[in-house]
Amino acid sequence: IYWNFHQSYKMFEKFFELIFHKPMTGYQRTWARRFLLSKSFTLVAPTGVGKTTFGLVASLFSALHGKKSALVFPTISLAQQSFEKLNQFKSKIKNADAIRILLFNSSMTKSEKEEFEQRFLSQDFEILIVSSQFISKRKDVLSKMFFNLVFVDDVDAILKSSKNIDTLLQMIGFSEDEIEKATERLKNKNKENGQNTNLNTLKDKGMLIVSSATAKPQGLKPLLFRELLGFEIGRFTFNIRNITNIRIKKKSREKLLEIINILKDGILLFVNTEEEGKEIVKFLAENGVKIGTTWSNFDEEFELFKEGKLNVICGVSSYYGKLIRGIDLPERIKYCIFWETPSFRFSVDMDKAPRFVLERVFVEYLEDHPKLKEYFKNVETLQTEKLRQLVLKYISAESYNKIVQEIFSHLKITDDGKLVIPDVPTYIQGSGRTSRMFGMRLTKGVSILFEEDDTIFESLKSRLMFLLDEEWMDESEANFESLMVEVEESRKSRNEGFNVNDT
Ligand code: ADP
Ligand code: MG
C-alpha cells in the first residue's frame, strides 16, 4: 500500500528520457518530485527552462496511468504547437494507443468542430488541450468534468478573470460551495496561522499546476489557490506572504547601522545568541538607534516598540523565540534583519542531527506517510538508528544512503568541527512577521539577511525556493527606496472594501 516515492521518481525520470532523449533539468527534477507527491503547485521560473515541456510530459505520464489531464495555453497557436509536440512525444511510447489527445482549435472546419464537440462532451480523451479563452467560454461544461491534472501554461493570462479561477478549481473537483467558503475564510482571515484546508479534503481532488514566468499574481482570487490547495509542507503551515529577501554578504556592524538608518522604523533584529545580541545592541544604542530587547524587560520594551517609541527590537532567533512566534503586529513590523542565518550547530556526528535528517527525509521525500508523520512529532527524542530503521521500512537502503549523502552535501562544517544547518523554519517564521493578512490586505515585508558563508546561504535559499517559491536579491540589486514605498503602501487604507471580482 505504501507508495514508493523513489520508484515513481525513477519511472518518471526514465519516461522523460525515453520521450525527450535528454535528462531533466534541475528545475524539472524539483517539479517532478512535487508532481509525484501530488501537490498542487506553481512553477516559477524564467522562460526557456522547460516548464511547458514538463507539463506535456506530466500529462502523458498521467494518461498512461489512466488519468485525465487538461492543458491550458494562453493562445490557440501555442495550444496547436503543444498538440503537435505531444503527438511527437507520444510516438516514442509503446502502447500509446490508449492515449487520446483532443485539441480545440477555433479555425477548425464545421465538421471538425462537430467531431470535437461530440468527443469533448462524451469525454473521449485523456488529454484535452485548449486555450484560456476556451476555459471561460465553456465553463459550464468544464466545471462539471473532473481532471486529475490541470496544467495552466502562463497563468498570468488566465488570472485576469476570477471566474476562470473558479472554473479551474472546479475542474479538479472543488465544489462551488467549497470555493465560496474558502473565499469567505480568506476575506476574514487576519489571525496568525489561519488554517489552510484540511488536507483530508484534498484526497479526492486533482492536481493543479500553474506555470508563470513572473508569478506575482495579485489580489484575493489567486490566493484562493493556496487556501484551497493547501500549502502545508511537513509540519509547517505557511501563510500567504509577500516578502522580498535580501542578502548582504559582508557582515559588518557599520553596514547594519547603515541599513537600520535607511529603514528607520518597524524593525525586528534577530541574533543567534543573547551574548552576541548584547554586544550589537550596545553598539547600535551608542550610535543613536532606539532599540529594545527581548531579554531585558520584554513586555515593557515591546509596548514601547508598539507605540513607536522604540524603532527596533532585538531578539534571539529560535523557533519558539518570543519574536519569532509570539507577536502579530502588521502595522508596526515592516522589516526584519537576521544578523546571521538561524542555524543549528552540531558536532559532526549523525546522532546529534536526527531531527534535521528526519525533517529533510520526511519533508521532501516521504510526506505522504501518515505513520511517519506521527513519529515526526517526537523527533527530538528519536535516535538516528531508530530513524534509519523507520525510514527503511519505506524506502530502499540505497535510496536512504543517497538521501543522507545529498543532505550532507548541503552542509557546512566549521573549522572547529561543527556541523551547521540553517534553521529554515525559523527563518520563515521570523521573516513572516513582516507580511501578514491585515484586514483585507496582505502587508509587504522585507527580510534582510547578513550571511558571509555561501554554503549556508545557498542551502537556505534552495530550501526556501522549494518550500515557498520565494526569491532572493543581492544587496546591490535592491532598491530600498522603492521597497520602502511598497511596504508603506501595503499598510494603508485599512478600511478599504474588498471586491472579490476585482482581480
Ligand atoms: P518554458 O516553457 O519554460 O519556456 P520549454 O519547455 O518551452 O520552456 O523549453 C525551452 C527549450 O528547452 C525548448 O527548446 C525545449 O525543447 C528545451 N528543453 C526543455 N527541457 C529540456 C531538458 N530537460 N533538456 C534539454 N532541453 C530542454
Ligand atoms: Mg513555455
Side-chain angles (χ1 to χ4, degrees):
I1 295 269
Y2 285 107
W3 180 50
N4 190 323
F5 171 75
H6 272 268
Q7 257 166 9
S8 311
Y9 182 79
K10 281 260 145 48
M11 244 167 81
F12 188 84
E13 201 173 34
K14 273 208 194 113
F15 183 71
F16 189 97
E17 288 171 22
L18 169 78
I19 61 183
F20 198 71
H21 302 301
K22 278 181 194 136
M24 285 187 275
T25 62
Y27 275 112
Q28 286 165 338
R29 287 199 297 272
T30 306
W31 301 332
R33 253 189 247 159
R34 294 201 222 173
F35 166 66
L36 295 169
L37 289 170
S38 295
K39 286 181 192 165
S40 288
F41 62 96
T42 324
L43 311 181
V44 190
T47 40
V49 299
K51 294 190 293 287
T52 305
T53 305
F54 175 80
L56 299 182
V57 175
S59 72
L60 281 171
F61 189 81
S62 300
L64 278 180
H65 292 81
K67 296 177 173 176
K68 271 196 191 347
S69 306
L71 305 176
V72 185
F73 292 91
T75 64
I76 301 256
S77 83
L78 282 170
Q80 175 75 37
Q81 276 173 36
S82 298
F83 176 71
E84 283 157 21
K85 214 180 231 172
L86 209 50
N87 277 307
Q88 190 191 320
F89 288 166
K90 189 180 145 179
S91 68
K92 313 262 169 64
I93 308 171
K94 276 188 234 156
N95 316 323
D97 296 345
I99 306 177
R100 297 159 296 170
I101 306 174
L102 180 62
L103 168 76
F104 177 78
N105 187 336
S106 51
S107 61
M108 290 185 291
T109 64
K110 189 158 179 281
S111 69
E112 280 169 340
K113 273 190 180 148
E114 275 163 14
E115 193 204 327
F116 170 86
E117 196 58 24
Q118 191 260 324
R119 286 186 61 192
F120 173 56
L121 293 176
S122 61
Q123 301 196 47
D124 178 19
F125 57 80
E126 270 71 42
I127 303 176
L128 176 70
I129 306 183
V130 297
S131 66
S132 308
Q133 214 182 13
F134 187 86
I135 299 290
S136 47
K137 277 209 176 126
R138 305 304 301 272
K139 62 173 185 290
D140 295 336
V141 181
L142 285 169
S143 60
K144 292 186 182 67
M145 288 182 178
F146 176 75
F147 295 86
N148 300 92
L149 169 67
V150 174
F151 177 82
V152 185
D153 205 0
D154 196 352
V155 75
D156 308 303
I158 208 163
L159 289 185
K160 288 193 180 115
S161 156
S162 61
K163 269 275 167 286
N164 281 344
I165 295 173
D166 290 359
T167 309
L168 293 176
L169 289 167
Q170 286 172 322
M171 286 165 69
I172 57 165
F174 284 97
S175 67
E176 256 175 276
D177 189 46
E178 282 170 304
I179 295 171
E180 201 170 300
K181 284 201 179 116
T183 310
E184 276 311 305
R185 271 206 305 279
L186 264 180
K187 284 203 276 181
N188 298 327
K189 185 171 184 171
N190 44 22
K191 275 202 340 243
E192 180 179 5
N193 288 335
Q195 188 52 50
N196 283 341
T197 313
N198 177 348
L199 288 186
N200 286 332
T201 66
L202 289 178
K203 284 226 170 74
D204 50 349
K205 303 293 191 273
M207 189 184 342
L208 181 65
I209 301 180
V210 300
S211 113
S212 165
T214 55
K216 285 274 176 283
Q218 301 286 323
L220 179 72
K221 275 290 177 172
L223 301 182
L224 196 57
F225 282 151
R226 291 198 181 184
E227 176 68 17
L228 274 173
L229 300 172
F231 218 111
E232 191 183 286
I233 292 165
R235 65 179 165 161
F236 313 110
T237 304
F238 300 126
N239 285 317
I240 302 146
R241 41 193 274 160
N242 176 6
I243 294 174
T244 298
N245 300 281
I246 299 169
R247 178 207 185 181
I248 298 178
K249 192 170 161 143
K250 181 99 186 61
K251 199 176 159 202
S252 85
R253 290 174 169 195
E254 289 69 30
K255 189 80 206 170
L256 175 64
L257 180 64
E258 182 191 322
I259 297 278
I260 289 176
N261 284 333
I262 293 174
L263 302 174
K264 290 190 182 71
D265 182 42
I267 305 164
L268 300 184
L269 174 61
F270 295 112
V271 291
N272 275 6
T273 64
E274 197 175 303
E275 209 180 0
E276 198 180 15
K278 280 180 176 152
E279 273 178 44
I280 287 165
V281 168
K282 184 164 171 272
F283 167 78
L284 293 172
E286 279 168 6
N287 282 280
V289 177
K290 289 184 192 142
I291 185 167
T293 70
T294 55
W295 53 79
S296 44
N297 198 340
F298 179 61
D299 293 335
E300 206 171 284
E301 302 205 333
F302 191 67
E303 210 41 53
L304 291 171
F305 175 78
K306 223 163 135 179
E307 291 164 13
K309 289 176 184 149
L310 288 176
N311 301 118
V312 187
I313 196 140
C314 182
V316 175
S317 60
S318 73
Y319 194 62
Y320 295 103
K322 286 178 184 163
L323 285 192
I324 296 284
R325 309 233 95 197
I327 51 171
D328 188 26
L329 267 186
E331 307 104 293
R332 288 288 298 138
I333 301 169
K334 303 166 195 172
Y335 310 102
C336 68
I337 302 176
F338 289 87
W339 180 237
E340 65 184 307
T341 307
S343 61
F344 307 112
R345 276 153 208 268
F346 304 98
S347 310
V348 188
D349 173 352
M350 279 288 285
D351 275 345
K352 297 285 162 36
R355 177 187 150 184
F356 171 74
V357 174
L358 182 56
E359 184 193 320
R360 279 300 280 248
V361 172
F362 179 71
V363 169
E364 292 185 21
Y365 301 87
L366 289 167
E367 211 202 347
D368 282 354
H369 294 287
K371 275 198 182 159
L372 210 52
K373 205 164 189 168
E374 238 168 69
Y375 277 95
F376 191 54
K377 281 188 207 144
N378 304 316
V379 282
E380 258 89 4
T381 61
L382 207 69
Q383 293 303 301
T384 305
E385 188 47 33
K386 271 198 210 154
L387 158 67
R388 201 174 70 87
Q389 283 170 9
L390 191 67
V391 173
L392 287 179
K393 285 189 195 165
Y394 304 102
I395 63 176
S396 68
E398 194 196 347
S399 309
Y400 179 82
N401 289 336
K402 269 199 190 144
I403 291 167
V404 172
Q405 259 172 29
E406 192 205 303
I407 290 167
F408 277 85
S409 70
H410 283 298
L411 302 183
K412 164 85 184 170
I413 297 169
T414 61
D415 294 340
D416 59 346
K418 291 272 166 59
L419 197 64
V420 184
I421 301 160
D423 182 359
V424 180
T426 296
Y427 181 84
I428 292 173
Q429 284 290 346
S431 55
R433 304 294 101 190
T434 66
S435 177
R436 336 269 319 143
M437 285 305 286
F438 174 42
M440 295 295 123
R441 306 200 133 215
L442 179 63
T443 61
K444 161 91 191 175
V446 176
S447 175
I448 294 163
L449 172 74
F450 283 88
E451 181 55 68
E452 302 210 318
D453 190 279
D454 290 332
T455 313
I456 294 177
F457 174 67
E458 286 304 325
S459 162
L460 171 73
K461 181 177 157 182
S462 67
R463 280 211 63 205
L464 215 64
M465 278 279 274
F466 180 80
L467 295 169
L468 295 171
D469 280 326
E470 221 163 72
E471 302 256 24
W472 285 84
M473 40 172 101
D474 189 74
E475 188 201 353
S476 59
E477 301 164 295
N479 179 343
F480 281 101
E481 217 168 276
S482 75
L483 280 172
M484 287 166 70
V485 170
E486 218 185 307
V487 164
E488 293 300 337
E489 286 300 312
S490 72
R491 283 164 176 77
K492 282 185 188 159
S493 46
R494 127 172 246 190
N495 298 316
E496 202 175 78
F498 202 99
N499 181 355
V500 176
N501 294 316
D502 71 3
T503 54

